[in-house]
Amino acid sequence: MLLEGRNAIVYGGGGSIGGAMAKAFAKQGAHVFLAGRTQASLDRVAAQIQGPVDTAVVDARDEEAVDAHADQVAGRAGGIQISVNVVTDHDVQGKPATDMAVADYLAPVEAGLRSRFVTARAAARHMKQQRDGVILMFGGDGDRSAHRRNHQLGGLVTEFSAIEALRRQLACELGEYGIRVITLQTGGVPDSIPAELEWRAPIEKSLVESTLLGRAATLEDVGNVAVFAASDWARTITGAAINMTCGAFVD
């Protein structure tokens, strides 16, 4: 198995994206540690995982809580080999940027960047001692024509770009310790949109139409790509984004 003997922390592990990654990690032999803000959601995902799994209520923006949890995981399991943060973005959409309050525009930038920095830092402190590890980001810069298409995404795209800047910085600083930092670049995952959401159908249609392959990534795809990125099969990849947009974004 590709991840046998490795410990993986998944922040946002109670959500659809985090759950897909966690299940894929476990299937390939990893001991999965789900972290999130709602115990019921974590328990629901944990029940679907075949293999060793632990859950903990942790706010990924709280540096003391994140550090304490990471220390606990490393001390108990013998290290942290994989860390991925897919917590929910606290964004406001549907308004032109010039009509938004400053706080609403900056909310996803501040919350998203803070949580990624806090969780990556906590993992890196242990990975540096091991001289090994993988930190995964999720999302990427996305379709850079989004601004031109007037999607009115508020500060969301700005958040994505800020996180990508963090990924590049961490890859440069941590490479000497054998730590890889990678983004899984997505153009959107229709499976992750709640079925009851009124706008799911048009959103899914838009996502699929923007691709070159005429289909979008599934949750299973997300899990499989995450496993590859975290495994030794991707040992030569760091400081980069793995493009899983089905051609919605062309390098």
Side-chain angles (χ1 to χ4, degrees):
M1 292 188 283
L2 291 176
L3 303 179
E4 187 170 5
R6 304 188 188 188
N7 305 314
I9 300 180
V10 181
Y11 299 96
S16 57
I17 298 294
M21 291 185 181
K23 285 181 276 190
F25 289 157
K27 187 176 181 180
Q28 289 296 326
H31 184 161
V32 177
F33 294 84
L34 301 175
R37 299 179 66 182
T38 307
Q39 186 65 56
S41 298
L42 297 172
D43 289 342
R44 184 170 57 251
V45 172
Q48 302 172 41
I49 290 178
Q50 297 179 353
V53 58
D54 290 88
T55 66
V57 175
V58 180
D59 184 343
R61 298 169 297 176
D62 184 336
E63 58 181 314
E64 292 184 1
V66 169
D67 286 344
H69 176 253
D71 290 346
Q72 181 184 45
V73 169
R76 174 186 168 190
I80 300 170
Q81 286 74 40
I82 304 164
S83 177
V84 55
N85 185 327
V86 287
V87 300
T88 302
D89 298 297
H90 299 272
D91 59 307
V92 177
Q93 299 184 19
K95 291 183 179 180
T98 52
D99 291 343
M100 295 183 69
V102 173
D104 286 345
Y105 185 87
L106 293 179
V109 182
E110 294 174 343
L113 187 60
R114 178 184 178 88
S115 73
R116 270 69 174 188
F117 174 75
V118 166
T119 56
R121 185 186 65 180
R125 287 172 173 171
H126 294 281
M127 292 175 177
K128 287 171 73 173
Q129 297 176 25
Q130 305 161 183
R131 302 193 71 83
D132 175 57
V134 181
I135 298 172
L136 298 179
M137 308 289 185
F138 184 79
D141 282 328
D143 185 350
R144 293 173 186 170
S145 67
H147 298 291
R148 292 188 285 106
R149 295 209 307 255
N150 192 30
H151 283 336
Q152 298 184 353
L153 298 177
L156 187 64
V157 175
T158 304
E159 175 204 356
F160 291 163
S161 295
I163 292 171
E164 284 297 86
L166 173 64
R167 184 260 296 167
R168 296 183 182 99
Q169 180 179 8
L170 291 176
C172 292
E173 294 183 1
L174 297 176
E176 65 180 289
Y177 300 97
I179 301 169
R180 298 187 293 114
V181 189
I182 300 170
T183 293
L184 306 185
Q185 184 178 26
T186 174
V189 184
D191 287 1
S192 68
I193 304 172
E196 67 276 10
L197 185 67
E198 179 183 0
W199 294 103
R200 172 169 176 157
I203 292 174
E204 182 171 0
K205 183 174 182 290
S206 175
L207 291 175
V208 170
E209 288 179 346
S210 69
T211 72
L212 298 180
L213 298 179
R215 55 181 169 81
T218 65
L219 288 173
E220 183 178 6
D221 292 328
V222 169
N224 290 338
V225 175
V227 165
F228 166 73
S231 76
D232 286 342
W233 282 13
R235 64 189 297 270
T236 60
I237 302 175
T238 191
I242 297 178
N243 187 334
M244 51 177 291
T245 69
C246 295
F249 180 83
V250 180
D251 292 327

